[in-house]
Amino acid sequence: MASIDLRNLSKAYGPTPPVVRAINLEIADGEFMIFLGPSGCGKSTTLRMIAGLETVTSGEVRIDGAVVNDLDPAKRDLAIVFQNYALYPHMSVRKNLAFGLRLRHIPEAEITRRIQDVGEILGLSQLLDRRPAHLSGGQRQRVALGRALVREPKAFLLDEPLSNLDAKLRASMRTELIKLHRRLGTTMIHVTHDQVEAMTMGQRICIMRDGEIMQVGAPLEVYRNPANLFVADFLATPPMNLLPGRLEAVGEDLVAVAGALRLPIPPAYRPAYAPLSGREVVLGLRPEDFHPDARRAGPLAAGLSLTVETVEALGPEQILVSRVDGCAKDIAVRTESALAIRPGARLDLSYDTTKIHLFDPTTTLCLTRPAL
């Protein structure tokens, strides 16, 4: 196992702006870290610099405290799994698993033992004599993982390994990777643009944009307390509703206003938000914090009325894309499918105001609120 430390790490190609910009990140020994972000944000480039497949423009990659910038990839003792599996089509599963070990002159008896162990862990024992062309996508992905596992490396680097699988296989492989990490306890870095993978698999998420780190933290912590508008809008499906509005003083109270929507600020938040009275803000409202029953919204619930534009049925739940009079943007509301709603219906809901987030429209940063 290994700790991985990135210090002021940057990557640029020629005179163009850097694709990775002076990032700093510590990954603990045995941690499952997720690099999450849209295409082109620099997450795969960062992974490849850790692996040694990309040169470092500036900064340091440290593995177990040692700087490895100039160390050959083969000597870093890291295993990388790619999106496209990268299996040798003319070799059987057994030979694919053994190929890298033979290059390292591992004794045949040890190779056989490792292949048997990995075959049992990943359910490949009955497939060892097949070629990749005779395997399903999920089976090929497991072979690619197995080829990394047999090496028994210090860390696993996974570059969007599930993106080519269908939805059912992705869900199954997510579970397998979680169980695998718990069993091995080896450091893993998983690159993805899929928020579900990030929320369900990682112990921490590193969210990136334009080569910079936006926020790092445990999945639920990042979800509950996004650092800025990008994180709030990117994480989760549907994302947080982000509504241009303002803070108004009403006597001793503060009210967040967006069109006809008026949400009183909870008393515990007023001291933090009072200096912002009269300013433009962006209201952040999670879709699941709207409730048809005021009792479920809690004692600090605020009522609102909206018009349902579309209904997206998702089995046990549904997403209501709705309009509030005077609001610049539609609002997504997550409700139980048992609530029978048709497009065009007028709906009265309650919102749990303790869950409100306010963002500065200029800096895009979340305005700090006290913990309740």
Side-chain angles (χ1 to χ4, degrees):
M1 295 189 290
S3 62
I4 298 173
D5 187 7
L6 311 181
R7 300 188 180 184
N8 294 312
L9 190 67
S10 295
K11 176 65 180 179
Y13 297 96
T16 60
V19 295
V20 175
R21 306 166 186 266
I23 64 173
N24 290 278
L25 182 66
E26 294 183 6
I27 302 168
D29 190 354
E31 184 174 15
F32 200 148
M33 172 66 77
I34 303 289
F35 286 177
L36 176 67
S39 297
C41 72
K43 55 188 186 296
S44 289
T45 301
T46 302
L47 191 81
R48 291 173 66 85
M49 283 193 284
I50 295 171
L53 303 179
E54 292 279 2
T55 57
V56 173
T57 302
S58 62
E60 295 178 345
V61 175
R62 291 175 175 255
I63 299 177
D64 285 335
V67 178
V68 298
N69 290 30
D70 299 321
L71 190 65
D72 187 87
K75 296 180 180 179
R76 298 190 187 195
D77 196 17
L78 306 175
I80 186 165
V81 178
F82 295 101
Q83 176 181 348
N84 61 358
Y85 316 137
L87 303 177
Y88 297 108
H90 63 290
M91 292 185 182
S92 67
V93 170
R94 190 188 308 276
K95 289 181 178 178
N96 264 282
L97 295 177
F99 183 77
L101 300 180
R102 291 197 172 107
L103 288 180
R104 291 171 175 79
H105 306 292
I106 304 295
E108 285 298 320
E110 177 65 10
I111 292 175
T112 300
R113 181 194 68 78
R114 292 191 189 185
I115 291 174
Q116 288 175 343
D117 289 347
V118 167
E120 291 176 5
I121 291 171
L122 296 178
L124 297 173
S125 299
Q126 305 303 315
L127 307 175
L128 292 176
D129 295 319
R130 295 190 190 180
R131 291 188 179 183
H134 301 140
L135 302 177
S136 69
Q139 289 169 336
R140 274 179 270 177
Q141 188 59 76
R142 279 187 280 150
V143 175
L145 285 169
R147 191 169 56 186
L149 278 176
V150 293
R151 288 184 50 194
E152 299 180 355
K154 288 182 178 180
F156 294 98
L157 310 180
L158 312 176
D159 193 3
E160 304 209 40
L162 310 184
S163 60
N164 286 340
L165 305 180
D166 61 41
K168 186 175 181 179
L169 272 176
R170 278 203 306 272
S172 175
M173 287 303 300
R174 284 200 305 266
T175 302
E176 291 304 315
L177 282 171
I178 293 167
K179 292 193 293 187
L180 187 63
H181 178 258
R182 288 176 180 169
R183 177 170 179 171
L184 301 177
T186 307
T187 307
M188 289 188 179
I189 304 175
H190 181 107
V191 165
T192 184
H193 61 270
D194 188 307
Q195 299 97 325
V196 175
E197 287 181 25
M199 290 295 296
T200 57
M201 295 173 64
Q203 293 171 315
R204 284 196 300 159
I205 305 174
C206 172
I207 300 180
M208 298 183 66
R209 178 192 186 191
D210 295 335
E212 298 180 350
I213 293 176
M214 295 287 101
Q215 188 171 358
V216 180
L220 283 178
E221 174 60 26
V222 174
Y223 179 82
R224 290 170 180 159
N225 297 293
N228 53 47
L229 286 171
F230 174 79
V231 175
D233 188 51
F234 186 77
L235 196 62
T237 303
M240 181 182 286
N241 297 293
L242 300 171
L243 310 175
R246 64 186 183 279
L247 272 183
E248 292 184 354
V250 180
E252 295 183 356
D253 297 331
L254 274 178
V255 179
V257 178
L261 185 67
R262 299 180 66 86
L263 300 177
I265 298 298
Y269 297 169
R270 288 175 198 157
Y273 289 160
L276 308 172
S277 179
R279 282 182 49 183
E280 300 295 313
V281 294
V282 175
L283 281 62
L285 313 174
R286 287 284 182 201
E288 62 271 20
D289 295 327
F290 296 87
H291 302 278
D293 185 345
R295 291 172 296 180
R296 293 183 59 182
L300 297 177
L304 68 148
S305 183
L306 46 78
T307 301
V308 177
E309 299 283 342
T310 64
V311 179
E312 300 176 3
L314 301 174
E317 63 182 17
Q318 57 190 350
I319 306 300
L320 311 178
V321 179
S322 310
R323 174 173 47 82
V324 172
D325 294 342
C327 235
K329 299 173 66 176
D330 287 341
I331 294 177
V333 175
R334 190 191 302 271
T335 69
E336 297 175 357
S337 58
L339 186 65
I341 299 293
R342 294 181 179 275
R346 194 72 176 173
L347 186 61
D348 293 324
L349 297 174
S350 295
Y351 180 77
D352 181 358
T353 59
T354 64
K355 303 295 178 60
I356 193 171
H357 294 265
L358 298 181
F359 298 86
D360 186 316
T362 302
T363 66
T364 78
L365 297 178
C366 186
L367 302 170
T368 304
R369 64 181 189 187
L372 292 181

